[in-house]
Amino acid sequence: MNQQPCITTLYLTRHGQTEWNLEGRLQGRKDSPLTEKGERHASWLGESLADVPLDAIYSSSSPRAMRTAEILRGERPIQLHAADDLQEVDMGHWEGRTGKEIEAGSPEEYEAFWKEPHRYEPTNGGESFVQLGNRVVPAIERILNENHGRSILVVTHAAVLNLLMTAFHGQAISEMWKPPILESTCLCKVVYGPGGMNVELHGDISHYRA
């Protein structure tokens, strides 16, 4: 009797648009609520995933991510796991300030954040991207190990998702802000099977409507 191959499917997305996203403010560990558009995009993604079997949902414990995860879960009778390790990169005293304000006060550091992430060394009391990777990559590995042969959805943040997808492609941290741009509620899909790991979706927004 032939056994079915063991497939583990990992879906990842970014939370919906927030008020601070609209205002150009960096959020990090701080939070702001989803906008109407953010809730709508999450609902659209939820509808597109309605027929996708999910065994578990893991979310950053930030309220904006948890709200997105709740919308995506819909009526599924499955557990929603809140994970501190999936929170956005800590940006210290930059959080709540606009990019323009930060750039004016710390131009070299701000440029490194976006253009040379591997060289970014924060003086704002937050994390470097190397530290972020040391936090989130093991978290994803734990989730995968705990859910072998299952389908899992992870809801997280822009920097986290960019860094993870860079890692899945076997690229260095220096590449993490390279295209594709990971829009709010974009969908990524990584499948683990007998032949190894395969990235099937990276920043998909086909659920967006006009």
Side-chain angles (χ1 to χ4, degrees):
M1 182 176 176
N2 292 330
Q3 287 187 327
Q4 291 290 336
C6 184
I7 305 292
T8 303
T9 305
L10 177 64
Y11 296 92
L12 305 104
T13 189
R14 179 184 170 197
H15 63 79
Q17 183 195 69
T18 68
E19 297 289 351
W20 279 9
N21 288 152
L22 269 184
E23 296 170 9
R25 298 184 186 279
L26 299 190
Q27 294 178 112
R29 298 301 183 88
K30 291 186 178 180
D31 196 65
S32 68
L34 298 188
T35 62
E36 182 181 341
K37 182 178 181 180
E39 298 240 352
R40 186 166 64 247
H41 281 181
S43 295
W44 290 348
L45 178 58
E47 289 173 18
S48 74
L49 293 173
D51 295 327
V52 173
L54 293 175
D55 297 299
I57 299 176
Y58 291 78
S59 173
S60 155
S61 53
S62 293
R64 61 189 183 276
M66 290 291 291
R67 174 58 184 152
T68 303
E70 288 167 359
I71 295 171
L72 296 176
R73 178 171 60 176
E75 300 301 316
R76 288 182 175 90
I78 58 176
Q79 189 170 357
L80 176 55
H81 304 270
D84 292 341
D85 284 345
L86 295 176
Q87 284 194 8
E88 181 61 297
V89 62
D90 188 338
M91 290 181 271
H93 61 69
W94 283 6
E95 295 179 1
R97 300 169 65 191
T98 67
K100 288 184 178 180
E101 290 170 345
I102 298 164
E103 187 174 22
S106 307
E108 293 181 4
E109 194 171 327
Y110 190 69
E111 183 176 26
F113 183 94
W114 293 111
K115 295 185 178 178
E116 294 185 295
H118 58 302
R119 298 187 188 279
Y120 170 65
E121 293 293 340
T123 62
N124 57 22
E127 294 176 294
S128 70
F129 290 117
V130 172
Q131 290 170 320
L132 176 66
N134 290 339
R135 169 162 62 84
V136 301
V137 171
I140 293 297
E141 290 174 345
R142 285 196 302 272
I143 289 170
L144 289 169
N145 289 335
E146 292 169 2
N147 292 277
H148 190 62
R150 306 174 87 200
S151 293
I152 318 110
L153 173 65
V154 168
V155 183
T156 186
H157 306 267
V160 175
L161 191 53
N162 274 277
L163 187 145
L164 287 174
M165 294 311 296
T166 299
F168 285 128
H169 284 293
Q171 298 172 329
I173 287 176
S174 58
E175 307 297 300
M176 66 174 280
W177 294 124
K178 299 283 178 69
I181 296 172
L182 299 182
E183 304 283 358
S184 298
T185 73
C186 70
L187 187 64
C188 301
K189 180 182 180 182
V190 183
V191 177
Y192 292 81
M197 183 266 289
N198 183 47
V199 177
E200 293 191 359
L201 293 174
H202 186 168
D204 180 74
I205 52 170
S206 60
H207 57 284
Y208 278 22
R209 302 173 191 171

